[in-house]
Amino acid sequence: MTSTKYIGMDVHKESISSAVMNASGKIVMECVIETKASMILQFFDGLRGDLHVTFEEGTSAAWLYDLLKPHVTKLLVCDPRKNASMREANQSDKIDARRLAELLRLNHLSPVYHGEHGLRSLKELVRSYLTITKDLGRVMSRVKAIYRSWAIPCTGKQVYAPRHRAVWLGKIGEPGVRRRAEFYYQQLDALRTVRQEVRRELLAEGKKHQAWKRLCQIPSIGPIRSAVLLWHSADPASFPNQAAAVDVQRFWHRDPKQRRSP
């Protein structure tokens, strides 16, 4: 008799309802555990056999995925709204842990992609990079605004270069305004340093995902753009219709050309 166990988890902020089903469809255990890493791992340490686990995509899904991935045989984060068997049921019925376990055993769940190593780290790094880049652009605009307010032409990027900074600051006659420009330059330097650090970590994280490597081989798509695309459209199944999913599948698996983006 197979030792496979199918575990459905109904995840909430404070607690998780879990149901363990054997290969024949019989519920062998049900419990409610606290939504804490130590309690969750303690629960799984007490189970034997091949553990197949599912829970719904939600606020804690990425955290729970990364926590459980090393401890189970198969882990599926699901979206019941895309499941055919769910549409057959009463739409007002709440999907509980027992139902999730049953659907997992019957292979009736639609997965939500979380990557080979989980996408939580990649998503946060992409968000950080994009936010810092926007902040950097705002500070650069403020620097130029100071010079323009004093009718000092400042086209191009030379106004931002550290080696030309003393010359540019010398063009501002008012001490208070000059000091404000110095503060903006300090902020500019700090953001550039942080962005470079985030960029290094983002590229290192992207290398953990095969999809990122495949995207980098496509002309005009560099490493940062690949990470952003992976963040937005990692899973073709998340697209609104079949035609879009097919297009994305072709995009992921197209033959790479020799030329690569800078």
Side-chain angles (χ1 to χ4, degrees), residues 220-249:
S220 77
I221 299 181
I224 297 299
R225 190 173 298 174
S226 297
V228 175
L229 284 172
L230 184 57
W231 172 46
H232 281 296
S233 57
D235 183 20
S238 66
F239 280 70
N241 54 61
Q242 185 64 29
V246 170
D247 289 342
V248 173
Q249 285 283 6

Side-chain angles (χ1 to χ4, degrees), residues 61-180:
W63 167 76
L64 193 55
Y65 180 94
D66 290 340
L67 177 69
L68 293 179
K69 184 65 175 176
H71 301 278
V72 300
T73 306
K74 179 180 179 181
L75 183 57
L76 187 151
V77 182
C78 66
D79 184 357
R81 294 172 300 176
K82 296 183 179 180
N83 187 357
S85 63
M86 285 303 306
R87 290 193 293 270
E88 296 171 0
N90 190 330
Q91 292 294 319
S92 64
D93 289 344
K94 181 179 179 181
I95 306 306
D96 59 7
R98 183 184 290 229
R99 180 64 171 160
L100 287 172
E102 179 184 3
L103 292 173
L104 179 63
R105 184 179 71 89
L106 297 174
N107 195 27
H108 285 175
L109 292 174
S110 296
V112 176
Y113 181 73
H114 274 255
E116 299 89 343
H117 298 268
L119 286 177
R120 180 176 55 168
S121 295
L122 182 69
K123 288 179 178 179
E124 295 303 328
L125 287 169
V126 168
R127 289 191 183 104
S128 297
Y129 184 85
L130 295 178
T131 300
I132 293 170
T133 298
K134 289 180 181 178
D135 291 341
L136 188 59
R138 293 188 182 102
V139 174
M140 293 170 74
S141 297
R142 293 185 189 120
V143 169
K144 282 195 172 183
I146 289 179
Y147 291 102
R148 288 169 179 162
S149 67
W150 285 79
I152 301 173
C154 56
T155 58
K157 297 183 179 180
Q158 189 186 74
V159 65
Y160 308 122
R163 60 180 177 175
H164 299 294
R165 195 162 294 173
V167 175
W168 280 97
L169 287 171
K171 296 180 180 182
I172 304 175
E174 171 61 40
V177 178
R178 188 187 311 115
R179 187 58 177 156
R180 181 157 63 98

Side-chain angles (χ1 to χ4, degrees), residues 172-235:
I172 304 175
E174 171 61 40
V177 178
R178 188 187 311 115
R179 187 58 177 156
R180 181 157 63 98
E182 289 175 352
F183 287 139
Y184 285 156
Y185 279 128
Q186 291 176 18
Q187 188 178 13
L188 184 67
D189 293 339
L191 286 171
R192 281 175 167 171
T193 300
V194 173
R195 189 174 72 160
Q196 284 300 317
E197 182 179 353
V198 174
R199 187 179 190 276
R200 286 193 295 269
E201 293 190 20
L202 177 57
L203 296 180
E205 181 66 26
K207 292 176 182 178
K208 299 177 182 179
H209 300 271
Q210 291 297 324
W212 178 88
K213 297 176 183 178
R214 189 173 297 116
L215 278 169
C216 288
Q217 294 177 312
I218 298 175
S220 77
I221 299 181
I224 297 299
R225 190 173 298 174
S226 297
V228 175
L229 284 172
L230 184 57
W231 172 46
H232 281 296
S233 57
D235 183 20

